[in-house]
Amino acid sequence: MPEQFTSQITVDRNIVSLLSKFTYERSLPYAVREVVSNSYDADATVARINIDLKKDRIVIHDNGNGMTKAEFEFYLRIAGQRRGKRETPKFGRKRIGQFGVGFLAILPFCETLQIRSTTENSEEVFSADIPAAKFFKQDGKTVDVGAVVVSGEVEQNPRLKAEHFTEISLIRLSDLAKRYLSQK
């Protein structure tokens, strides 16, 4: 029986200062690039992007180090602390991301952001659903990001013990994503 859990995205008080240094273009390729940069920082050697308009989703799958549930919860803390050493553990790559801010770039392009991940030599696989659409103004009201619950589950899967990956799925693409894709 999978273990159920809930979590939240938390925002450090330094977010306003940090975000003021960056201006994000609201383009789908930029946002996908941010996710692939996270794959690079996780020592992935392969990142696959699958766009399936019939299923109304985009899936980005990498063979990087993967994440545990605890690492995922740290991943949800935007701009709080550096994400680890300046170099990646396996290949010694210079990290692209530092504070998790780029993760925010993907949220406008789907209703739900689903994450599934496991680390090597672990039977534990977690999945979580981030309700991306809830992070934007609803009925003209500002949204308290700390009040948005991220639900997920952890399950044991011995068949995946030798695997390590992260799969990020943009589910129910937003009008913004659909407009971009219809132009191409």
Side-chain angles (χ1 to χ4, degrees):
M1 174 69 96
E3 170 195 346
Q4 303 292 313
F5 70 91
T6 62
S7 194
Q8 296 171 284
I9 291 180
T10 59
V11 180
D12 190 84
R13 67 175 186 242
N14 296 318
I15 191 72
V16 175
S17 170
L18 186 59
L19 286 177
S20 67
K21 295 178 184 174
F22 300 98
T23 52
Y24 287 119
E25 303 168 58
R26 289 294 183 202
S27 73
L28 183 59
Y30 174 83
V32 170
R33 183 185 78 191
E34 288 296 318
V35 173
V36 173
S37 292
N38 288 344
S39 299
Y40 176 87
D41 285 350
D43 281 324
T45 58
V46 175
R48 292 188 317 269
I49 302 166
N50 180 21
I51 300 171
D52 189 335
L53 297 178
K54 289 181 182 175
K55 290 186 178 179
D56 201 20
R57 71 178 51 201
I58 297 172
V59 178
I60 303 155
H61 181 96
D62 72 50
N63 67 344
N65 298 324
M67 291 182 281
T68 64
K69 177 182 158 262
E71 290 168 329
F72 171 70
E73 288 176 339
F74 181 75
Y75 177 77
L76 292 178
R77 182 164 178 80
I78 308 299
Q81 308 172 26
R82 284 193 182 274
R83 299 290 172 178
K85 297 179 180 175
R86 293 187 188 269
E87 290 83 30
T88 63
K90 188 173 184 180
F91 296 125
R93 297 171 175 165
K94 183 179 177 188
R95 288 190 190 274
I96 297 169
Q98 295 181 27
F99 298 104
V101 176
F103 162 69
L104 297 174
I106 203 75
L107 294 178
F109 297 100
C110 61
E111 287 185 28
T112 302
L113 188 66
Q114 186 177 74
I115 298 178
R116 187 169 171 259
S117 191
T118 188
T119 59
E120 192 171 22
N121 297 319
S122 173
E123 295 181 4
E124 190 173 284
V125 180
F126 85 85
S127 61
D129 290 339
I130 300 172
K134 290 187 178 183
F135 289 95
F136 302 97
K137 288 186 177 182
Q138 308 275 327
D139 300 322
K141 297 177 184 173
T142 303
V143 177
D144 174 6
V145 296
V148 178
V149 175
V150 174
S151 62
E153 66 181 31
V154 177
E155 65 178 303
Q156 300 298 315
N157 188 335
R159 292 177 297 161
L160 294 178
K161 187 170 184 173
E163 300 285 325
H164 49 93
F165 65 85
T166 299
E167 183 174 270
I168 297 180
S169 301
L170 288 74
I171 299 172
R172 290 182 305 283
L173 300 175
S174 69
D175 289 340
L176 187 61
K178 289 175 183 174
R179 276 195 308 271
Y180 178 82
L181 292 169
S182 70
Q183 296 171 6
K184 301 300 171 191

